[in-house]
Amino acid sequence: MKVPKFRYSSEEVAAAADVSIVNAYVTILFNLGCVCVWGGLLLFSCLVNQKVYRKEVSGVLQGSVLGPFLFLAYVNDIWRNMESTIRLFADNCVIYRKIINDEDVDKLQKDLNRLGEWAVENAMKIHPSKSKAIHFTRARVKDPLNYSLMDTLIPEVSSCKYSGIILCNDLSWADQVNYTVKKARKALHFTMRILKKGNSNTKNLPYMSLVRPVLEYGAVCWDPYREGQISALDRVQKKAAKFAHHTSNPNWETLASR
């Protein structure tokens, strides 16, 4: 989603956070010579080590704390008038509901229509073609999903990635485990190529900081219980142990125990 120019107002920002906090952000950024915004239409930026100020028509300094803050304030009312559950993370939006009958299907479609209307009203750019439709069930569903957003059919998929975790429509974690193993192996092989002549401590550190976080990311959600999946993850750690300590059984905690 992309925020258009001239859309922020002091009322929107104040509705998302205490005014004193916003004033503090503005004062700090202005004193640092970065950017100052308030009232929605006026920004001043200054050149480093120079007393030169110029008026800007729009924009926020890239990489600043104020940019994400203003974006969240701008989209904070996207959930209003929604009957379905909606979740926001940065510029990603997920909307879902439990489907029991055709009435639930219609309600979800109406919420998607409201989302499209909200985007038009707030001059937001949403790419329906990048959206995905997926149903989570172990029952055999023959009817395809025919949801649309802004008059564009949302493509149906069997799996999707959300916050770095792959969700399958049959509620299995096979794709997530395979993806994690592949990504961890890639990171491990990268460190093995670079640190061929390093000592044990040198080889141990990149595994702990680059490879194992990949194996453990989101594991509280998808922690496998099948022996084949557990073995596939353990093989990555054993290979790293053999590379670092020339043994497959070092004094490392197992992934299952962590």
Side-chain angles (χ1 to χ4, degrees):
M1 295 186 290
K2 184 179 180 181
V3 179
K5 300 180 180 179
F6 300 110
R7 297 296 300 184
Y8 290 120
S9 67
S10 57
E11 291 78 11
E12 288 176 325
V13 176
D18 189 270
V19 177
S20 60
I21 299 177
V22 178
N23 283 329
Y25 272 122
V26 172
T27 303
I28 292 173
L29 292 173
F30 184 77
N31 290 335
L32 291 176
C34 297
V35 66
C36 178
V37 58
W38 188 241
L41 299 180
L42 191 63
L43 291 96
F44 292 94
S45 64
C46 63
L47 301 177
V48 179
N49 299 326
Q50 297 183 27
K51 296 295 183 179
V52 179
Y53 300 89
R54 61 189 179 86
K55 186 176 179 180
E56 297 286 353
V57 295
S58 65
V60 177
L61 184 68
Q62 185 175 4
S64 67
V65 178
L66 193 60
F69 177 81
L70 291 175
F71 177 81
L72 293 176
Y74 188 78
V75 302
N76 195 44
D77 65 337
I78 193 174
W79 56 270
R80 299 185 187 279
N81 302 321
M82 293 284 185
E83 296 185 30
S84 304
T85 305
I86 189 169
R87 296 282 185 256
L88 294 174
F89 182 78
D91 60 345
N92 292 326
C93 176
V94 176
I95 181 171
Y96 62 92
R97 71 177 297 123
K98 185 177 181 180
I99 303 297
I100 299 178
N101 49 42
D102 293 339
E103 184 178 353
D104 293 321
V105 175
D106 295 336
K107 288 182 178 180
L108 183 56
Q109 181 58 58
K110 289 180 180 179
D111 287 333
L112 290 173
N113 295 338
R114 294 190 186 100
L115 181 61
E117 293 171 358
W118 178 89
V120 173
E121 180 182 352
N122 292 273
M124 291 286 289
K125 293 182 179 180
I126 298 180
H127 302 282
S129 59
K130 294 184 179 180
S131 303
K132 308 296 181 184
I134 184 173
H135 57 81
F136 298 99
T137 179
R138 288 189 176 273
R140 294 183 178 180
V141 180
K142 296 182 180 180
D143 297 331
L145 300 178
N146 293 314
Y147 295 109
S148 60
L149 178 62
M150 302 179 72
D151 298 327
T152 301
L153 183 66
I154 301 176
E156 182 180 359
V157 295
S158 59
S159 64
C160 63
K161 184 183 291 187
Y162 180 66
S163 297
I165 297 178
I166 299 177
L167 306 175
C168 295
N169 59 357
D170 60 355
L171 305 178
S172 68
W173 296 110
D175 290 352
Q176 172 63 26
V177 173
N178 294 335
Y179 170 78
T180 300
V181 171
K182 183 178 180 180
K183 187 175 181 181
R185 283 178 176 172
K186 185 176 181 180
L188 178 59
H189 291 162
F190 173 75
T191 60
M192 291 173 66
R193 288 196 306 270
I194 296 177
L195 302 174
K196 289 182 179 180
K197 299 181 180 180
N199 56 36
S200 296
N201 292 332
T202 304
K203 296 176 180 179
N204 183 72
L205 182 60
Y207 169 76
M208 297 297 180
S209 58
L210 298 177
V211 182
R212 193 162 71 178
V214 174
L215 294 170
E216 296 180 343
Y217 177 77
V220 66
C221 299
W222 57 267
D223 189 18
Y225 64 92
R226 295 185 176 181
E227 293 184 1
Q229 296 175 352
I230 296 174
S231 299
L233 295 169
D234 286 338
R235 280 195 294 269
V236 178
Q237 177 159 290
K238 289 180 180 179
K239 187 172 184 178
K242 190 173 182 180
F243 170 70
H245 300 282
H246 305 288
T247 176
S248 59
N249 295 310
N251 295 326
W252 290 351
E253 292 182 270
T254 63
L255 295 174
S257 64
R258 287 179 56 84

mmCIF file of all heavy atoms in Angstrom, residues 48-85:
data_model
loop_
_atom_site.group_PDB
_atom_site.id
_atom_site.type_symbol
_atom_site.label_atom_id
_atom_site.label_comp_id
_atom_site.label_asym_id
_atom_site.label_seq_id
_atom_site.Cartn_x
_atom_site.Cartn_y
_atom_site.Cartn_z
ATOM 1 N N VAL A 48 22.740 19.830 6.434
ATOM 2 C CA VAL A 48 23.628 19.607 7.565
ATOM 3 C C VAL A 48 24.685 20.710 7.611
ATOM 4 O O VAL A 48 25.290 21.053 6.596
ATOM 5 C CB VAL A 48 24.290 18.223 7.451
ATOM 6 C CG1 VAL A 48 25.241 17.991 8.625
ATOM 7 C CG2 VAL A 48 23.225 17.148 7.410
ATOM 8 N N ASN A 49 24.904 21.250 8.831
ATOM 9 C CA ASN A 49 25.932 22.264 9.090
ATOM 10 C C ASN A 49 25.696 23.564 8.311
ATOM 11 O O ASN A 49 26.611 24.350 8.124
ATOM 12 C CB ASN A 49 27.330 21.729 8.770
ATOM 13 C CG ASN A 49 27.687 20.522 9.613
ATOM 14 O OD1 ASN A 49 27.279 20.439 10.771
ATOM 15 N ND2 ASN A 49 28.422 19.588 9.030
ATOM 16 N N GLN A 50 24.485 23.774 7.834
ATOM 17 C CA GLN A 50 24.182 25.016 7.137
ATOM 18 C C GLN A 50 22.843 25.552 7.605
ATOM 19 O O GLN A 50 21.912 24.789 7.843
ATOM 20 C CB GLN A 50 24.131 24.830 5.610
ATOM 21 C CG GLN A 50 25.450 24.390 4.998
ATOM 22 C CD GLN A 50 25.346 24.304 3.493
ATOM 23 O OE1 GLN A 50 24.540 24.993 2.882
ATOM 24 N NE2 GLN A 50 26.163 23.446 2.900
ATOM 25 N N LYS A 51 22.751 26.870 7.730
ATOM 26 C CA LYS A 51 21.515 27.501 8.146
ATOM 27 C C LYS A 51 20.661 27.792 6.918
ATOM 28 O O LYS A 51 20.279 28.935 6.644
ATOM 29 C CB LYS A 51 21.819 28.785 8.914
ATOM 30 C CG LYS A 51 22.572 28.572 10.217
ATOM 31 C CD LYS A 51 21.726 27.802 11.215
ATOM 32 C CE LYS A 51 22.453 27.665 12.550
ATOM 33 N NZ LYS A 51 21.649 26.936 13.547
ATOM 34 N N VAL A 52 20.353 26.743 6.172
ATOM 35 C CA VAL A 52 19.565 26.894 4.961
ATOM 36 C C VAL A 52 18.305 26.063 5.112
ATOM 37 O O VAL A 52 18.372 24.860 5.362
ATOM 38 C CB VAL A 52 20.357 26.445 3.711
ATOM 39 C CG1 VAL A 52 19.491 26.594 2.471
ATOM 40 C CG2 VAL A 52 21.618 27.272 3.585
ATOM 41 N N TYR A 53 17.168 26.686 4.979
ATOM 42 C CA TYR A 53 15.894 25.996 5.123
ATOM 43 C C TYR A 53 15.104 26.180 3.833
ATOM 44 O O TYR A 53 15.169 27.224 3.178
ATOM 45 C CB TYR A 53 15.092 26.557 6.300
ATOM 46 C CG TYR A 53 15.790 26.422 7.627
ATOM 47 C CD1 TYR A 53 16.643 27.407 8.089
ATOM 48 C CD2 TYR A 53 15.602 25.287 8.417
ATOM 49 C CE1 TYR A 53 17.301 27.278 9.297
ATOM 50 C CE2 TYR A 53 16.243 25.150 9.630
ATOM 51 C CZ TYR A 53 17.099 26.152 10.067
ATOM 52 O OH TYR A 53 17.739 26.011 11.263
ATOM 53 N N ARG A 54 14.357 25.171 3.490
ATOM 54 C CA ARG A 54 13.549 25.292 2.292
ATOM 55 C C ARG A 54 12.205 24.613 2.525
ATOM 56 O O ARG A 54 12.107 23.632 3.274
ATOM 57 C CB ARG A 54 14.241 24.672 1.077
ATOM 58 C CG ARG A 54 14.537 23.198 1.177
ATOM 59 C CD ARG A 54 15.408 22.722 0.021
ATOM 60 N NE ARG A 54 15.723 21.300 0.106
ATOM 61 C CZ ARG A 54 14.971 20.336 -0.358
ATOM 62 N NH1 ARG A 54 13.815 20.625 -0.948
ATOM 63 N NH2 ARG A 54 15.334 19.070 -0.250
ATOM 64 N N LYS A 55 11.204 25.115 1.881
ATOM 65 C CA LYS A 55 9.854 24.588 2.036
ATOM 66 C C LYS A 55 9.643 23.404 1.104
ATOM 67 O O LYS A 55 9.977 23.471 -0.072
ATOM 68 C CB LYS A 55 8.835 25.680 1.720
ATOM 69 C CG LYS A 55 7.387 25.264 1.993
ATOM 70 C CD LYS A 55 6.447 26.428 1.758
ATOM 71 C CE LYS A 55 5.007 26.011 2.015
ATOM 72 N NZ LYS A 55 4.070 27.131 1.785
ATOM 73 N N GLU A 56 9.098 22.312 1.654
ATOM 74 C CA GLU A 56 8.793 21.118 0.873
ATOM 75 C C GLU A 56 7.283 20.971 0.765
ATOM 76 O O GLU A 56 6.548 21.293 1.691
ATOM 77 C CB GLU A 56 9.371 19.865 1.550
ATOM 78 C CG GLU A 56 10.882 19.851 1.654
ATOM 79 C CD GLU A 56 11.546 19.571 0.327
ATOM 80 O OE1 GLU A 56 10.821 19.265 -0.638
ATOM 81 O OE2 GLU A 56 12.776 19.677 0.243
ATOM 82 N N VAL A 57 6.830 20.504 -0.378
ATOM 83 C CA VAL A 57 5.392 20.335 -0.567
ATOM 84 C C VAL A 57 4.891 19.027 0.028
ATOM 85 O O VAL A 57 3.727 18.896 0.384
ATOM 86 C CB VAL A 57 5.019 20.405 -2.061
ATOM 87 C CG1 VAL A 57 5.314 21.802 -2.601
ATOM 88 C CG2 VAL A 57 5.803 19.365 -2.852
ATOM 89 N N SER A 58 5.758 18.006 0.122
ATOM 90 C CA SER A 58 5.334 16.729 0.691
ATOM 91 C C SER A 58 6.560 15.873 0.908
ATOM 92 O O SER A 58 7.660 16.204 0.478
ATOM 93 C CB SER A 58 4.362 15.991 -0.249
ATOM 94 O OG SER A 58 5.025 15.633 -1.448
ATOM 95 N N GLY A 59 6.341 14.731 1.602
ATOM 96 C CA GLY A 59 7.412 13.764 1.778
ATOM 97 C C GLY A 59 7.921 13.697 3.194
ATOM 98 O O GLY A 59 7.788 14.641 3.974
ATOM 99 N N VAL A 60 8.520 12.560 3.517
ATOM 100 C CA VAL A 60 9.128 12.316 4.819
ATOM 101 C C VAL A 60 10.506 11.732 4.572
ATOM 102 O O VAL A 60 10.708 10.945 3.642
ATOM 103 C CB VAL A 60 8.274 11.346 5.673
ATOM 104 C CG1 VAL A 60 8.958 11.035 7.001
ATOM 105 C CG2 VAL A 60 6.894 11.938 5.926
ATOM 106 N N LEU A 61 11.474 12.104 5.385
ATOM 107 C CA LEU A 61 12.834 11.625 5.209
ATOM 108 C C LEU A 61 12.871 10.108 5.234
ATOM 109 O O LEU A 61 12.355 9.473 6.158
ATOM 110 C CB LEU A 61 13.726 12.187 6.309
ATOM 111 C CG LEU A 61 15.210 11.836 6.203
ATOM 112 C CD1 LEU A 61 15.805 12.531 4.985
ATOM 113 C CD2 LEU A 61 15.955 12.254 7.464
ATOM 114 N N GLN A 62 13.469 9.497 4.218
ATOM 115 C CA GLN A 62 13.547 8.049 4.126
ATOM 116 C C GLN A 62 14.421 7.487 5.247
ATOM 117 O O GLN A 62 15.501 8.004 5.526
ATOM 118 C CB GLN A 62 14.115 7.635 2.769
ATOM 119 C CG GLN A 62 14.107 6.128 2.540
ATOM 120 C CD GLN A 62 14.563 5.768 1.147
ATOM 121 O OE1 GLN A 62 14.946 6.635 0.382
ATOM 122 N NE2 GLN A 62 14.529 4.494 0.824
ATOM 123 N N GLY A 63 13.944 6.426 5.886
ATOM 124 C CA GLY A 63 14.686 5.809 6.975
ATOM 125 C C GLY A 63 14.435 6.434 8.325
ATOM 126 O O GLY A 63 15.046 6.028 9.319
ATOM 127 N N SER A 64 13.548 7.409 8.406
ATOM 128 C CA SER A 64 13.282 8.071 9.677
ATOM 129 C C SER A 64 12.275 7.279 10.494
ATOM 130 O O SER A 64 11.554 6.412 9.992
ATOM 131 C CB SER A 64 12.752 9.486 9.442
ATOM 132 O OG SER A 64 11.467 9.422 8.841
ATOM 133 N N VAL A 65 12.212 7.581 11.778
ATOM 134 C CA VAL A 65 11.210 6.963 12.653
ATOM 135 C C VAL A 65 9.825 7.511 12.347
ATOM 136 O O VAL A 65 8.814 6.827 12.506
ATOM 137 C CB VAL A 65 11.576 7.213 14.132
ATOM 138 C CG1 VAL A 65 10.526 6.629 15.058
ATOM 139 C CG2 VAL A 65 12.943 6.623 14.451
ATOM 140 N N LEU A 66 9.786 8.740 11.887
ATOM 141 C CA LEU A 66 8.502 9.401 11.651
ATOM 142 C C LEU A 66 7.733 8.791 10.489
ATOM 143 O O LEU A 66 6.498 8.769 10.505
ATOM 144 C CB LEU A 66 8.750 10.890 11.389
ATOM 145 C CG LEU A 66 7.527 11.803 11.434
ATOM 146 C CD1 LEU A 66 6.859 11.740 12.786
ATOM 147 C CD2 LEU A 66 7.929 13.222 11.100
ATOM 148 N N GLY A 67 8.438 8.268 9.461
ATOM 149 C CA GLY A 67 7.764 7.706 8.294
ATOM 150 C C GLY A 67 6.837 6.553 8.622
ATOM 151 O O GLY A 67 5.634 6.610 8.342
ATOM 152 N N PRO A 68 7.338 5.467 9.247
ATOM 153 C CA PRO A 68 6.449 4.359 9.634
ATOM 154 C C PRO A 68 5.364 4.792 10.606
ATOM 155 O O PRO A 68 4.243 4.286 10.556
ATOM 156 C CB PRO A 68 7.411 3.353 10.282
ATOM 157 C CG PRO A 68 8.745 3.675 9.710
ATOM 158 C CD PRO A 68 8.745 5.152 9.492
ATOM 159 N N PHE A 69 5.698 5.734 11.490
ATOM 160 C CA PHE A 69 4.705 6.202 12.453
ATOM 161 C C PHE A 69 3.525 6.858 11.750
ATOM 162 O O PHE A 69 2.357 6.578 12.065
ATOM 163 C CB PHE A 69 5.368 7.180 13.428
ATOM 164 C CG PHE A 69 4.416 7.791 14.417
ATOM 165 C CD1 PHE A 69 4.026 7.098 15.546
ATOM 166 C CD2 PHE A 69 3.907 9.056 14.207
ATOM 167 C CE1 PHE A 69 3.141 7.658 16.444
ATOM 168 C CE2 PHE A 69 3.023 9.623 15.096
ATOM 169 C CZ PHE A 69 2.640 8.919 16.229
ATOM 170 N N LEU A 70 3.798 7.717 10.777
ATOM 171 C CA LEU A 70 2.729 8.385 10.052
ATOM 172 C C LEU A 70 1.940 7.409 9.192
ATOM 173 O O LEU A 70 0.723 7.546 9.039
ATOM 174 C CB LEU A 70 3.312 9.499 9.181
ATOM 175 C CG LEU A 70 3.871 10.711 9.929
ATOM 176 C CD1 LEU A 70 4.514 11.682 8.960
ATOM 177 C CD2 LEU A 70 2.773 11.405 10.721
ATOM 178 N N PHE A 71 2.613 6.404 8.632
ATOM 179 C CA PHE A 71 1.908 5.401 7.827
ATOM 180 C C PHE A 71 0.927 4.623 8.686
ATOM 181 O O PHE A 71 -0.230 4.411 8.292
ATOM 182 C CB PHE A 71 2.906 4.450 7.168
ATOM 183 C CG PHE A 71 2.253 3.354 6.380
ATOM 184 C CD1 PHE A 71 1.795 3.582 5.091
ATOM 185 C CD2 PHE A 71 2.052 2.092 6.935
ATOM 186 C CE1 PHE A 71 1.167 2.583 4.366
ATOM 187 C CE2 PHE A 71 1.439 1.085 6.216
ATOM 188 C CZ PHE A 71 0.991 1.328 4.929
ATOM 189 N N LEU A 72 1.362 4.190 9.861
ATOM 190 C CA LEU A 72 0.473 3.446 10.754
ATOM 191 C C LEU A 72 -0.694 4.316 11.201
ATOM 192 O O LEU A 72 -1.820 3.830 11.351
ATOM 193 C CB LEU A 72 1.261 2.939 11.962
ATOM 194 C CG LEU A 72 2.324 1.877 11.666
ATOM 195 C CD1 LEU A 72 3.089 1.524 12.935
ATOM 196 C CD2 LEU A 72 1.703 0.627 11.060
ATOM 197 N N ALA A 73 -0.422 5.589 11.445
ATOM 198 C CA ALA A 73 -1.507 6.497 11.822
ATOM 199 C C ALA A 73 -2.512 6.649 10.686
ATOM 200 O O ALA A 73 -3.718 6.768 10.911
ATOM 201 C CB ALA A 73 -0.939 7.854 12.216
ATOM 202 N N TYR A 74 -2.020 6.619 9.469
ATOM 203 C CA TYR A 74 -2.885 6.822 8.305
ATOM 204 C C TYR A 74 -3.811 5.635 8.063
ATOM 205 O O TYR A 74 -4.971 5.810 7.687
ATOM 206 C CB TYR A 74 -2.013 7.075 7.079
ATOM 207 C CG TYR A 74 -2.795 7.494 5.860
ATOM 208 C CD1 TYR A 74 -3.267 8.795 5.736
ATOM 209 C CD2 TYR A 74 -3.063 6.604 4.832
ATOM 210 C CE1 TYR A 74 -3.985 9.187 4.631
ATOM 211 C CE2 TYR A 74 -3.773 6.986 3.723
ATOM 212 C CZ TYR A 74 -4.231 8.282 3.628
ATOM 213 O OH TYR A 74 -4.949 8.665 2.532
ATOM 214 N N VAL A 75 -3.315 4.417 8.253
ATOM 215 C CA VAL A 75 -4.115 3.220 7.960
ATOM 216 C C VAL A 75 -4.789 2.662 9.212
ATOM 217 O O VAL A 75 -5.352 1.575 9.173
ATOM 218 C CB VAL A 75 -3.242 2.121 7.315
ATOM 219 C CG1 VAL A 75 -2.607 2.619 6.040
ATOM 220 C CG2 VAL A 75 -2.174 1.611 8.285
ATOM 221 N N ASN A 76 -4.743 3.422 10.307
ATOM 222 C CA ASN A 76 -5.239 2.899 11.576
ATOM 223 C C ASN A 76 -6.743 2.686 11.594
ATOM 224 O O ASN A 76 -7.263 1.947 12.445
ATOM 225 C CB ASN A 76 -4.845 3.847 12.719
ATOM 226 C CG ASN A 76 -5.003 3.205 14.077
ATOM 227 O OD1 ASN A 76 -4.629 2.053 14.269
ATOM 228 N ND2 ASN A 76 -5.568 3.950 15.019
ATOM 229 N N ASP A 77 -7.480 3.294 10.676
ATOM 230 C CA ASP A 77 -8.937 3.160 10.668
ATOM 231 C C ASP A 77 -9.431 2.181 9.611
ATOM 232 O O ASP A 77 -10.619 2.148 9.298
ATOM 233 C CB ASP A 77 -9.589 4.522 10.430
ATOM 234 C CG ASP A 77 -9.260 5.075 9.045
ATOM 235 O OD1 ASP A 77 -8.233 4.648 8.472
ATOM 236 O OD2 ASP A 77 -10.019 5.925 8.546
ATOM 237 N N ILE A 78 -8.532 1.337 9.068
ATOM 238 C CA ILE A 78 -8.924 0.421 8.000
ATOM 239 C C ILE A 78 -9.905 -0.638 8.495
ATOM 240 O O ILE A 78 -10.681 -1.202 7.722
ATOM 241 C CB ILE A 78 -7.666 -0.235 7.389
ATOM 242 C CG1 ILE A 78 -8.000 -0.942 6.069
ATOM 243 C CG2 ILE A 78 -7.037 -1.202 8.375
ATOM 244 C CD1 ILE A 78 -6.780 -1.478 5.355
ATOM 245 N N TRP A 79 -9.913 -0.904 9.792
ATOM 246 C CA TRP A 79 -10.753 -1.970 10.350
ATOM 247 C C TRP A 79 -12.193 -1.526 10.576
ATOM 248 O O TRP A 79 -13.064 -2.373 10.835
ATOM 249 C CB TRP A 79 -10.168 -2.426 11.683
ATOM 250 C CG TRP A 79 -10.011 -1.306 12.673
ATOM 251 C CD1 TRP A 79 -8.919 -0.502 12.830
ATOM 252 C CD2 TRP A 79 -10.999 -0.846 13.608
ATOM 253 N NE1 TRP A 79 -9.150 0.435 13.815
ATOM 254 C CE2 TRP A 79 -10.424 0.242 14.311
ATOM 255 C CE3 TRP A 79 -12.285 -1.235 13.932
ATOM 256 C CZ2 TRP A 79 -11.102 0.935 15.306
ATOM 257 C CZ3 TRP A 79 -12.964 -0.553 14.933
ATOM 258 C CH2 TRP A 79 -12.376 0.516 15.600
ATOM 259 N N ARG A 80 -12.482 -0.252 10.486
ATOM 260 C CA ARG A 80 -13.823 0.243 10.804
ATOM 261 C C ARG A 80 -14.850 -0.313 9.812
ATOM 262 O O ARG A 80 -14.583 -0.447 8.629
ATOM 263 C CB ARG A 80 -13.846 1.775 10.788
ATOM 264 C CG ARG A 80 -12.914 2.394 11.820
ATOM 265 C CD ARG A 80 -13.054 3.905 11.860
ATOM 266 N NE ARG A 80 -12.048 4.515 12.718
ATOM 267 C CZ ARG A 80 -12.135 4.599 14.038
ATOM 268 N NH1 ARG A 80 -13.194 4.104 14.665
ATOM 269 N NH2 ARG A 80 -11.166 5.169 14.739
ATOM 270 N N ASN A 81 -16.029 -0.632 10.341
ATOM 271 C CA ASN A 81 -17.164 -1.160 9.571
ATOM 272 C C ASN A 81 -16.908 -2.557 9.019
ATOM 273 O O ASN A 81 -17.643 -3.016 8.136
ATOM 274 C CB ASN A 81 -17.526 -0.220 8.415
ATOM 275 C CG ASN A 81 -17.879 1.180 8.897
ATOM 276 O OD1 ASN A 81 -18.526 1.334 9.932
ATOM 277 N ND2 ASN A 81 -17.450 2.185 8.163
ATOM 278 N N MET A 82 -15.890 -3.241 9.516
ATOM 279 C CA MET A 82 -15.583 -4.595 9.072
ATOM 280 C C MET A 82 -16.247 -5.612 10.009
ATOM 281 O O MET A 82 -16.107 -5.520 11.226
ATOM 282 C CB MET A 82 -14.075 -4.836 9.041
ATOM 283 C CG MET A 82 -13.338 -4.038 7.995
ATOM 284 S SD MET A 82 -13.580 -4.738 6.357
ATOM 285 C CE MET A 82 -12.482 -3.683 5.389
ATOM 286 N N GLU A 83 -16.951 -6.574 9.426
ATOM 287 C CA GLU A 83 -17.530 -7.650 10.222
ATOM 288 C C GLU A 83 -16.557 -8.817 10.380
ATOM 289 O O GLU A 83 -16.613 -9.557 11.350
ATOM 290 C CB GLU A 83 -18.830 -8.151 9.574
ATOM 291 C CG GLU A 83 -19.939 -7.109 9.518
ATOM 292 C CD GLU A 83 -21.227 -7.686 8.972
ATOM 293 O OE1 GLU A 83 -21.460 -8.897 9.172
ATOM 294 O OE2 GLU A 83 -21.995 -6.949 8.340
ATOM 295 N N SER A 84 -15.669 -8.985 9.430
ATOM 296 C CA SER A 84 -14.667 -10.036 9.501
ATOM 297 C C SER A 84 -13.470 -9.557 10.315
ATOM 298 O O SER A 84 -13.315 -8.368 10.588
ATOM 299 C CB SER A 84 -14.205 -10.445 8.095
ATOM 300 O OG SER A 84 -15.308 -10.849 7.298
ATOM 301 N N THR A 85 -12.613 -10.499 10.701
ATOM 302 C CA THR A 85 -11.413 -10.162 11.452
ATOM 303 C C THR A 85 -10.337 -9.659 10.491
ATOM 304 O O THR A 85 -10.126 -10.228 9.421
ATOM 305 C CB THR A 85 -10.880 -11.391 12.207
ATOM 306 O OG1 THR A 85 -11.928 -11.922 13.026
ATOM 307 C CG2 THR A 85 -9.711 -11.011 13.099
#
